[in-house]
Amino acid sequence: MSGQVTNISPQIPKVQTEDEQVISPWKEAWRTYRKNKVALIGLGIVSFFILLAIFADFIAPYGFKETELANKHIPPSAAHWLGTDEFGRDILSRIIYGARISLWVGFSAVSGSIIVGSFLGILAGYYGKWVDAIISRMFDILLAFPSILLAIAIVAMLGPSLQNALIAIAIINIPTFGRLLRSRVLSVKEEEYITAAKAIGMKDARILFHHVLPNSMAPIIVQGTLAIATAIIEAAALGFLGLGAQPPAPEWGKMLADSKDFIIQAPWTVFFPGISIMLTVLGFNLMGDGLRDALDPRMKN
């Protein structure tokens, strides 16, 4: 008796290749970012200064307040790798502790600018009409003044201190993020999913914070990274003018101001704080350029 033999071969599931797998936009952005060697250098520089700031108490060989007048203006040596200043304070230790101040000012000021500017920008872009008119005119007024002069005016009214310098830097950067979010919201709110959310009766607050804001974060992240570099320069400028951190705080701009009279006698007292500012700003700028390339769809092939 013959019967038909059925071929019962096991079905092997098809394995998706890496290109066929669904990758989240943020993972795709990170993959793109890792391919940018210059951006990785920027990330490395920023990470280096962040680690200095976090572990300053363990890395710095001396306290930033320790003075020894007998050792003033000692050139770089085994005991003081970057030399000493006019009070005999170790410059390396002050630069390490100064990283805390500069990074704290940069991150705090930009965070405040992002929060306030994004809130105002979202309101202006989403509601339009008189709300947009009022907020946009506020931005125009702030942008009408040169940023550093406006910061000086604000600190002059509030009084010279690091906290007031931080407030001033945050205020002058609000219009940048506000106008960026406004333009982004004007585009996003016309998308079909926003129209669908309105059609089912979703409240404006939920639409704004669950749909509009998440889809507007990419340009904010890029601009925020670049703004940190600008904030560090502005903090150093205010410190150089005596309107920022006050002695004995080891703020890099203040260190430059205190050493400007000794640039011929002890050039290392100016060079090393200046190179610290330059490297930190360079790191954030390189990192911001890499984030722009990774997050902006127009920059991808």
Side-chain angles (χ1 to χ4, degrees), residues 41-43 45-46 49 102-103 106 224-237 251-252 273-289:
I41 293 174
L43 178 61
I45 295 173
V46 171
F49 281 100
S102 294
L103 293 176
T225 306
L226 298 173
I228 292 175
T230 304
I232 291 174
I233 294 178
E234 291 167 344
E251 197 273 324
W252 293 338
I275 202 69
S276 300
I277 296 172
M278 185 273 290
L279 287 175
T280 307
V281 172
L282 176 64
F284 277 107
N285 283 334
L286 294 178
M287 192 169 69
D289 289 340

Side-chain angles (χ1 to χ4, degrees), residues 206-245:
R206 185 174 179 83
I207 294 175
L208 288 174
F209 292 102
H210 285 78
H211 296 290
V212 175
L213 185 59
N215 287 285
S216 305
M217 287 304 298
I220 289 297
I221 293 174
V222 175
Q223 183 60 40
T225 306
L226 298 173
I228 292 175
T230 304
I232 291 174
I233 294 178
E234 291 167 344
L238 292 174
F240 186 84
L241 297 174
L243 299 174

